Each structure stands twice: as structure tokens, then as C-alpha cells.
mmCIF file of all heavy atoms in Angstrom:
data_model
loop_
_atom_site.group_PDB
_atom_site.id
_atom_site.type_symbol
_atom_site.label_atom_id
_atom_site.label_comp_id
_atom_site.label_asym_id
_atom_site.label_seq_id
_atom_site.Cartn_x
_atom_site.Cartn_y
_atom_site.Cartn_z
ATOM 1 N N PHE Y 18 -10.131 -3.460 1.174
ATOM 2 C CA PHE Y 18 -10.782 -2.504 0.286
ATOM 3 C C PHE Y 18 -9.755 -1.597 -0.384
ATOM 4 O O PHE Y 18 -9.849 -1.290 -1.580
ATOM 5 C CB PHE Y 18 -11.802 -1.685 1.075
ATOM 6 C CG PHE Y 18 -12.236 -0.421 0.391
ATOM 7 C CD1 PHE Y 18 -12.993 -0.474 -0.763
ATOM 8 C CD2 PHE Y 18 -11.884 0.813 0.913
ATOM 9 C CE1 PHE Y 18 -13.389 0.700 -1.404
ATOM 10 C CE2 PHE Y 18 -12.288 1.983 0.295
ATOM 11 C CZ PHE Y 18 -13.030 1.932 -0.866
ATOM 12 N N GLY Y 19 -8.754 -1.174 0.385
ATOM 13 C CA GLY Y 19 -7.706 -0.327 -0.182
ATOM 14 C C GLY Y 19 -6.913 -1.021 -1.260
ATOM 15 O O GLY Y 19 -6.428 -0.379 -2.201
ATOM 16 N N GLY Y 20 -6.760 -2.356 -1.130
ATOM 17 C CA GLY Y 20 -6.080 -3.106 -2.184
ATOM 18 C C GLY Y 20 -6.840 -3.060 -3.485
ATOM 19 O O GLY Y 20 -6.265 -2.897 -4.569
ATOM 20 N N LEU Y 21 -8.160 -3.220 -3.395
ATOM 21 C CA LEU Y 21 -9.008 -3.056 -4.577
ATOM 22 C C LEU Y 21 -8.866 -1.648 -5.139
ATOM 23 O O LEU Y 21 -8.753 -1.450 -6.359
ATOM 24 C CB LEU Y 21 -10.466 -3.338 -4.213
ATOM 25 C CG LEU Y 21 -11.522 -2.909 -5.235
ATOM 26 C CD1 LEU Y 21 -11.417 -3.733 -6.504
ATOM 27 C CD2 LEU Y 21 -12.920 -3.019 -4.633
ATOM 28 N N ALA Y 22 -8.869 -0.646 -4.253
ATOM 29 C CA ALA Y 22 -8.829 0.749 -4.700
ATOM 30 C C ALA Y 22 -7.569 1.061 -5.490
ATOM 31 O O ALA Y 22 -7.620 1.731 -6.531
ATOM 32 C CB ALA Y 22 -8.947 1.685 -3.486
ATOM 33 N N VAL Y 23 -6.408 0.571 -5.033
ATOM 34 C CA VAL Y 23 -5.183 0.894 -5.774
ATOM 35 C C VAL Y 23 -5.105 0.139 -7.094
ATOM 36 O O VAL Y 23 -4.520 0.644 -8.065
ATOM 37 C CB VAL Y 23 -3.924 0.676 -4.916
ATOM 38 C CG1 VAL Y 23 -3.974 1.548 -3.668
ATOM 39 C CG2 VAL Y 23 -3.693 -0.777 -4.562
ATOM 40 N N LEU Y 24 -5.705 -1.047 -7.161
ATOM 41 C CA LEU Y 24 -5.778 -1.730 -8.454
ATOM 42 C C LEU Y 24 -6.649 -0.951 -9.430
ATOM 43 O O LEU Y 24 -6.326 -0.850 -10.623
ATOM 44 C CB LEU Y 24 -6.312 -3.152 -8.278
ATOM 45 C CG LEU Y 24 -5.389 -4.134 -7.562
ATOM 46 C CD1 LEU Y 24 -6.081 -5.484 -7.408
ATOM 47 C CD2 LEU Y 24 -4.054 -4.306 -8.299
ATOM 48 N N GLU Y 25 -7.736 -0.381 -8.932
ATOM 49 C CA GLU Y 25 -8.584 0.444 -9.802
ATOM 50 C C GLU Y 25 -7.839 1.707 -10.230
ATOM 51 O O GLU Y 25 -8.014 2.193 -11.355
ATOM 52 C CB GLU Y 25 -9.889 0.800 -9.097
ATOM 53 C CG GLU Y 25 -10.828 -0.380 -8.888
ATOM 54 C CD GLU Y 25 -11.419 -0.935 -10.182
ATOM 55 O OE1 GLU Y 25 -11.098 -0.438 -11.283
ATOM 56 O OE2 GLU Y 25 -12.215 -1.893 -10.097
ATOM 57 N N LEU Y 26 -7.005 2.245 -9.346
ATOM 58 C CA LEU Y 26 -6.183 3.399 -9.714
ATOM 59 C C LEU Y 26 -5.270 3.039 -10.878
ATOM 60 O O LEU Y 26 -5.131 3.799 -11.843
ATOM 61 C CB LEU Y 26 -5.364 3.849 -8.507
ATOM 62 C CG LEU Y 26 -4.470 5.065 -8.696
ATOM 63 C CD1 LEU Y 26 -5.279 6.320 -8.958
ATOM 64 C CD2 LEU Y 26 -3.580 5.265 -7.461
ATOM 65 N N ALA Y 27 -4.648 1.874 -10.810
ATOM 66 C CA ALA Y 27 -3.796 1.433 -11.915
ATOM 67 C C ALA Y 27 -4.605 1.230 -13.183
ATOM 68 O O ALA Y 27 -4.185 1.638 -14.275
ATOM 69 C CB ALA Y 27 -3.075 0.144 -11.533
ATOM 70 N N ARG Y 28 -5.765 0.579 -13.050
ATOM 71 C CA ARG Y 28 -6.606 0.338 -14.229
ATOM 72 C C ARG Y 28 -7.031 1.636 -14.905
ATOM 73 O O ARG Y 28 -7.275 1.665 -16.114
ATOM 74 C CB ARG Y 28 -7.845 -0.454 -13.817
ATOM 75 C CG ARG Y 28 -7.575 -1.903 -13.439
ATOM 76 C CD ARG Y 28 -8.824 -2.567 -12.911
ATOM 77 N NE ARG Y 28 -8.637 -4.014 -12.720
ATOM 78 C CZ ARG Y 28 -8.779 -4.648 -11.555
ATOM 79 N NH1 ARG Y 28 -9.120 -3.961 -10.461
ATOM 80 N NH2 ARG Y 28 -8.570 -5.947 -11.479
ATOM 81 N N SER Y 29 -7.131 2.713 -14.128
ATOM 82 C CA SER Y 29 -7.559 3.997 -14.684
ATOM 83 C C SER Y 29 -6.483 4.660 -15.530
ATOM 84 O O SER Y 29 -6.743 5.665 -16.194
ATOM 85 C CB SER Y 29 -7.959 4.944 -13.545
ATOM 86 O OG SER Y 29 -6.815 5.446 -12.857
ATOM 87 N N GLY Y 30 -5.262 4.126 -15.485
ATOM 88 C CA GLY Y 30 -4.171 4.719 -16.249
ATOM 89 C C GLY Y 30 -3.441 5.829 -15.525
ATOM 90 O O GLY Y 30 -2.719 6.608 -16.145
ATOM 91 N N ALA Y 31 -3.592 5.897 -14.195
ATOM 92 C CA ALA Y 31 -2.941 6.967 -13.420
ATOM 93 C C ALA Y 31 -1.423 6.919 -13.609
ATOM 94 O O ALA Y 31 -0.827 5.840 -13.665
ATOM 95 C CB ALA Y 31 -3.292 6.815 -11.944
ATOM 96 N N PRO Y 32 -0.785 8.098 -13.697
ATOM 97 C CA PRO Y 32 0.655 8.162 -13.970
ATOM 98 C C PRO Y 32 1.487 8.054 -12.702
ATOM 99 O O PRO Y 32 2.028 9.043 -12.201
ATOM 100 C CB PRO Y 32 0.800 9.544 -14.616
ATOM 101 C CG PRO Y 32 -0.249 10.371 -13.924
ATOM 102 C CD PRO Y 32 -1.405 9.435 -13.678
ATOM 103 N N LEU Y 33 1.618 6.869 -12.156
ATOM 104 C CA LEU Y 33 2.475 6.657 -10.996
ATOM 105 C C LEU Y 33 3.346 5.441 -11.253
ATOM 106 O O LEU Y 33 3.105 4.673 -12.184
ATOM 107 C CB LEU Y 33 1.664 6.510 -9.705
ATOM 108 C CG LEU Y 33 0.834 5.264 -9.444
ATOM 109 C CD1 LEU Y 33 0.341 5.254 -8.000
ATOM 110 C CD2 LEU Y 33 -0.336 5.131 -10.385
ATOM 111 N N ALA Y 34 4.374 5.272 -10.411
ATOM 112 C CA ALA Y 34 5.351 4.225 -10.695
ATOM 113 C C ALA Y 34 4.805 2.831 -10.458
ATOM 114 O O ALA Y 34 5.092 1.909 -11.227
ATOM 115 C CB ALA Y 34 6.611 4.443 -9.843
ATOM 116 N N ALA Y 35 4.025 2.649 -9.378
ATOM 117 C CA ALA Y 35 3.646 1.295 -9.000
ATOM 118 C C ALA Y 35 2.449 1.316 -8.065
ATOM 119 O O ALA Y 35 2.198 2.310 -7.366
ATOM 120 C CB ALA Y 35 4.817 0.590 -8.317
ATOM 121 N N VAL Y 36 1.727 0.197 -8.020
ATOM 122 C CA VAL Y 36 0.700 -0.035 -7.008
ATOM 123 C C VAL Y 36 0.903 -1.438 -6.440
ATOM 124 O O VAL Y 36 1.359 -2.344 -7.140
ATOM 125 C CB VAL Y 36 -0.740 0.116 -7.542
ATOM 126 C CG1 VAL Y 36 -0.954 1.479 -8.182
ATOM 127 C CG2 VAL Y 36 -1.104 -1.003 -8.511
ATOM 128 N N ALA Y 37 0.557 -1.606 -5.163
ATOM 129 C CA ALA Y 37 0.653 -2.911 -4.510
ATOM 130 C C ALA Y 37 -0.612 -3.139 -3.688
ATOM 131 O O ALA Y 37 -0.978 -2.311 -2.861
ATOM 132 C CB ALA Y 37 1.887 -2.986 -3.624
ATOM 133 N N SER Y 38 -1.249 -4.260 -3.935
ATOM 134 C CA SER Y 38 -2.509 -4.609 -3.278
ATOM 135 C C SER Y 38 -2.270 -5.766 -2.309
ATOM 136 O O SER Y 38 -1.789 -6.823 -2.709
ATOM 137 C CB SER Y 38 -3.546 -5.019 -4.332
ATOM 138 O OG SER Y 38 -4.678 -5.601 -3.720
ATOM 139 N N PHE Y 39 -2.628 -5.545 -1.034
ATOM 140 C CA PHE Y 39 -2.551 -6.589 -0.028
ATOM 141 C C PHE Y 39 -3.958 -7.102 0.264
ATOM 142 O O PHE Y 39 -4.828 -6.336 0.695
ATOM 143 C CB PHE Y 39 -1.942 -6.052 1.264
ATOM 144 C CG PHE Y 39 -0.496 -5.654 1.144
ATOM 145 C CD1 PHE Y 39 -0.152 -4.371 0.736
ATOM 146 C CD2 PHE Y 39 0.513 -6.548 1.453
ATOM 147 C CE1 PHE Y 39 1.176 -3.991 0.645
ATOM 148 C CE2 PHE Y 39 1.848 -6.180 1.355
ATOM 149 C CZ PHE Y 39 2.182 -4.900 0.954
ATOM 150 N N HIS Y 40 -4.178 -8.395 0.021
ATOM 151 C CA HIS Y 40 -5.462 -9.082 0.210
ATOM 152 C C HIS Y 40 -6.664 -8.235 -0.229
ATOM 153 O O HIS Y 40 -7.679 -8.159 0.439
ATOM 154 C CB HIS Y 40 -5.641 -9.612 1.637
ATOM 155 C CG HIS Y 40 -5.215 -8.682 2.740
ATOM 156 N ND1 HIS Y 40 -5.989 -7.631 3.178
ATOM 157 C CD2 HIS Y 40 -4.099 -8.683 3.502
ATOM 158 C CE1 HIS Y 40 -5.362 -7.028 4.159
ATOM 159 N NE2 HIS Y 40 -4.221 -7.630 4.376
ATOM 160 N N GLY Y 41 -6.514 -7.596 -1.385
ATOM 161 C CA GLY Y 41 -7.628 -6.861 -1.975
ATOM 162 C C GLY Y 41 -8.393 -7.728 -2.959
ATOM 163 O O GLY Y 41 -7.856 -8.712 -3.491
ATOM 164 N N LEU Y 42 -9.646 -7.370 -3.218
ATOM 165 C CA LEU Y 42 -10.394 -8.060 -4.265
ATOM 166 C C LEU Y 42 -9.715 -7.797 -5.608
ATOM 167 O O LEU Y 42 -9.262 -6.680 -5.877
ATOM 168 C CB LEU Y 42 -11.840 -7.574 -4.293
ATOM 169 C CG LEU Y 42 -12.651 -7.767 -3.005
ATOM 170 C CD1 LEU Y 42 -14.100 -7.338 -3.230
ATOM 171 C CD2 LEU Y 42 -12.577 -9.192 -2.504
ATOM 172 N N LEU Y 43 -9.678 -8.791 -6.456
ATOM 173 C CA LEU Y 43 -8.907 -8.706 -7.693
ATOM 174 C C LEU Y 43 -9.743 -8.463 -8.935
ATOM 175 O O LEU Y 43 -9.196 -8.113 -9.985
ATOM 176 C CB LEU Y 43 -8.098 -9.999 -7.885
ATOM 177 C CG LEU Y 43 -7.068 -10.321 -6.798
ATOM 178 C CD1 LEU Y 43 -6.354 -11.628 -7.123
ATOM 179 C CD2 LEU Y 43 -6.056 -9.187 -6.631
ATOM 180 N N THR Y 44 -11.048 -8.663 -8.847
ATOM 181 C CA THR Y 44 -11.899 -8.494 -10.025
ATOM 182 C C THR Y 44 -12.505 -7.103 -10.057
ATOM 183 O O THR Y 44 -12.545 -6.384 -9.057
ATOM 184 C CB THR Y 44 -13.009 -9.547 -10.045
ATOM 185 O OG1 THR Y 44 -13.777 -9.456 -8.839
ATOM 186 C CG2 THR Y 44 -12.426 -10.935 -10.181
ATOM 187 N N THR Y 45 -12.993 -6.718 -11.223
ATOM 188 C CA THR Y 45 -13.519 -5.377 -11.438
ATOM 189 C C THR Y 45 -14.663 -5.410 -12.428
ATOM 190 O O THR Y 45 -14.735 -6.301 -13.285
ATOM 191 C CB THR Y 45 -12.408 -4.445 -11.963
ATOM 192 O OG1 THR Y 45 -12.943 -3.127 -12.198
ATOM 193 C CG2 THR Y 45 -11.814 -4.973 -13.268
ATOM 194 N N ALA Y 46 -15.526 -4.398 -12.335
ATOM 195 C CA ALA Y 46 -16.600 -4.251 -13.309
ATOM 196 C C ALA Y 46 -16.123 -3.569 -14.583
ATOM 197 O O ALA Y 46 -16.834 -3.562 -15.591
ATOM 198 C CB ALA Y 46 -17.748 -3.445 -12.695
ATOM 199 N N ALA Y 47 -14.909 -3.009 -14.542
ATOM 200 C CA ALA Y 47 -14.373 -2.281 -15.697
ATOM 201 C C ALA Y 47 -12.926 -2.711 -15.936
ATOM 202 O O ALA Y 47 -11.992 -2.008 -15.537
ATOM 203 C CB ALA Y 47 -14.457 -0.777 -15.455
#
């Protein structure tokens, strides 16, 4: 779940250097 969460953080345009998702869901509604 946390892997999905950090991908959504990246998709939101958050200003951080990097995100890494371990066995997170890869698809999104947005």
C-alpha cells in the first residue's frame, strides 16, 4: 500500500527528489 502511496505522491507533483515503490500497485484513478 505504501508503494502505491508514494507513486501517488509523485503523481501529485510533490517537490521531492525521488520516490521508490516496492511491490506497490501501479495503476491509478488519476
Side-chain angles (χ1 to χ4, degrees):
F18 163 68
L21 167 67
V23 301
L24 291 177
E25 291 292 1
L26 181 65
R28 289 174 172 121
S29 75
L33 71 170
V36 304
S38 169
F39 294 88
H40 43 79
L42 301 185
L43 299 180
T44 57
T45 179

